[in-house]
Amino acid sequence: TMGFTQHEQDSVFQILAAILHFGNVSFVENKDGYADVDPNTEAELDLAANYFACEPSILKSAVLFRVITTGGA
């Protein structure tokens, strides 16, 4: 266990499961020419979001849309 508590081990496995499931998500081009999640892999996106403890729509938005923040006061 290398000194990790059971909770820490579970957390690592949960993150690893999320990453592995997300790796199975495929992307396609939608009718407007933008990227979208392949409907055939929506279940994998849902599983990944579940392991990341977030809503699938939030995960989908995070990977499909770029946010640019500029400096300033």
Side-chain angles (χ1 to χ4, degrees):
T1 63
M2 297 176 29
F4 291 107
T5 66
Q6 187 62 48
H7 176 71
E8 290 170 331
Q9 290 178 45
D10 292 343
S11 294
V12 168
F13 291 138
Q14 184 172 345
I15 293 168
L16 180 59
I19 292 168
L20 292 172
H21 280 290
F22 190 71
N24 292 328
V25 175
S26 297
F27 299 92
V28 294
E29 186 174 326
N30 68 16
K31 62 182 169 79
D32 297 322
Y34 296 105
D36 203 354
V37 172
D38 184 342
N40 295 323
T41 61
E42 285 278 346
E44 294 293 336
L45 179 81
D46 293 345
L47 282 171
N50 182 54
Y51 285 118
F52 279 132
C54 71
E55 292 294 320
S57 61
I58 292 172
L59 180 58
K60 184 177 181 178
S61 179
V63 298
L64 292 179
F65 302 104
R66 190 172 22 176
V67 176
I68 299 173
T69 305
T70 60

